[in-house]
Amino acid sequence: LVCQNIVLNEIMASNRMTVTDEDGDYPDWIELYNAGAGQINLSGFGLSDDTLNTQKWVLANVTIDPGEYLVIFASDKDRYGDTLHTNFKISASGETILLSDTGGTVIDRIDLPALNSDISYARINDGSLPWLLQQPTPREANTGAGFQGYADTVTASQQAGFYSSSVSVELSAGESRVFYTLDGSDPDTNSTEYSLPISITQTSVLKAFSIKENYLPGPVVHHPYFIDENTDLPVISLSADPYNLFDPDSGIYTNFTMDWERPAHVEFFEDDKSPGFSENCGIEIYGSQ
């Protein structure tokens, strides 16, 4: 059948900086690919993350030429036009994504594993099996270069929290190399590479991640250390890369009229300063003047 030439080709469940939509946001996205020899109209095809509702979001009058790609943002914005947005988002912890024909019959399905930010799950080559963790290539040919998994997650010798004086922190990540920052910025391979214990003498957020050959980068870990800070109240620690807050072009404070969301990390400490919860999150400017 002609409709079976349309396949799920690449999916990103946590888009931190790979590609923006028309609003400047970074939503999840799904890439479809036409593996056939003729143009296909997708009107009536469905995308879903619910096996009981295969046509949760239905495409309108849009076509894909042979060998071409269509990126659809899974943003929950439910929007049609030059840029398409589904009425659901994708869980980075893993879930099922379905593609159905006009009658609601599933013609392609993928069970996503847990995915880190800016890593896609994609076919090894366009339209071909198997699926692999890959560097993202939205609207372009898949790389065909898969990874063996993720680098080892960084662990710290001292847990995040409150300390009466400076603290020495050792980082480890198996055989992986570790890079870290203390200025709030997200670490990359241009950041300081860990070699010796880190002396933290003032309140700081330690961010670190790991790399390993033939593996995808490990997740960024966040450890806020409060040095000689006194309060009887519970404490919320909210950290974000200053670029996402104050950059003239991309910061949400310098562009506060834009409906943008940026990644952040939040931790809660009880009134006795014992740890409560620690989660990645999104932040945006809300309100009026």
Side-chain angles (χ1 to χ4, degrees):
L1 297 174
V2 172
C3 64
Q4 293 178 338
N5 290 324
I6 296 296
V7 297
L8 300 167
N9 200 53
E10 184 175 4
I11 298 174
M12 178 171 285
S14 180
N15 175 20
R16 188 171 66 92
M17 61 175 60
T18 298
V19 60
T20 61
D21 65 11
E22 71 275 24
D23 299 325
D25 294 330
Y26 290 82
D28 312 333
W29 50 269
I30 299 167
E31 181 188 81
L32 303 182
Y33 175 70
N34 183 354
Q39 185 183 79
I40 298 178
N41 189 305
L42 298 179
S43 179
F45 281 61
L47 284 171
S48 180
D49 60 351
D50 183 353
T51 57
L52 299 179
N53 181 12
T54 61
Q55 292 216 316
K56 186 173 183 178
W57 185 79
V58 178
L59 283 95
N61 186 27
V62 60
T63 59
I64 306 185
D65 291 328
E68 292 298 317
Y69 314 90
L70 177 66
V71 168
I72 301 168
F73 289 107
S75 64
D76 200 27
K77 294 180 181 180
D78 193 15
R79 187 183 298 171
Y80 298 87
D82 293 336
T83 305
L84 301 173
H85 293 261
T86 68
N87 57 1
F88 61 88
K89 297 181 179 180
I90 304 173
S91 172
S93 62
E95 67 172 328
T96 299
I97 300 298
L98 307 167
L99 172 67
S100 62
D101 62 17
T102 57
T105 300
V106 174
I107 58 175
D108 201 7
R109 166 182 174 151
I110 184 65
D111 296 318
L112 294 176
L115 294 172
N116 284 349
S117 295
D118 297 308
I119 297 301
S120 68
Y121 197 54
R123 294 175 180 271
I124 186 169
N125 293 304
D126 295 331
S128 302
L129 296 174
W131 285 73
L132 303 169
L133 298 169
Q134 297 188 36
Q135 296 291 354
T137 58
R139 305 184 183 93
E140 296 179 358
N142 293 350
T143 64
F147 296 91
Q148 297 179 32
Y150 291 100
D152 306 284
T153 300
V154 178
T155 58
S157 61
Q158 301 288 345
Q159 72 174 12
F162 288 74
Y163 294 84
S164 59
S165 60
S166 62
V167 60
S168 179
V169 181
E170 298 180 23
L171 301 178
S172 59
E175 299 178 352
S176 303
R177 297 168 62 192
V178 176
F179 296 83
Y180 71 92
T181 63
L182 291 170
D183 62 359
S185 62
D186 293 335
D188 57 27
T189 53
N190 294 316
S191 304
T192 303
E193 183 169 4
Y194 175 79
S195 58
L196 297 172
I198 304 164
S199 179
I200 298 178
T201 59
Q202 60 184 4
T203 298
S204 306
V205 177
L206 170 63
K207 297 182 179 182
F209 87 118
S210 59
I211 62 170
K212 187 177 181 180
E213 188 174 0
N214 297 323
Y215 285 76
L216 291 164
V220 174
V221 298
H222 305 71
H223 293 280
Y225 294 101
F226 298 90
I227 308 300
D228 194 25
E229 305 279 3
N230 297 306
T231 175
D232 295 326
L233 298 173
V235 172
I236 293 176
S237 168
L238 182 66
S239 61
D241 192 318
Y243 174 86
N244 289 322
L245 302 179
F246 304 112
D247 180 79
D249 297 319
S250 300
I252 57 175
Y253 281 107
T254 49
N255 299 271
F256 57 86
T257 60
M258 305 298 291
D259 185 20
W260 290 347
E261 182 179 287
R262 294 293 183 259
H265 186 82
V266 61
E267 296 198 33
F268 179 77
F269 298 89
E270 305 286 353
D271 51 10
D272 64 355
K273 305 307 176 287
S274 60
F277 63 82
S278 174
E279 296 287 345
N280 291 325
C281 65
I283 56 175
E284 61 182 56
I285 300 295
Y286 182 79
S288 60
Q289 298 188 72

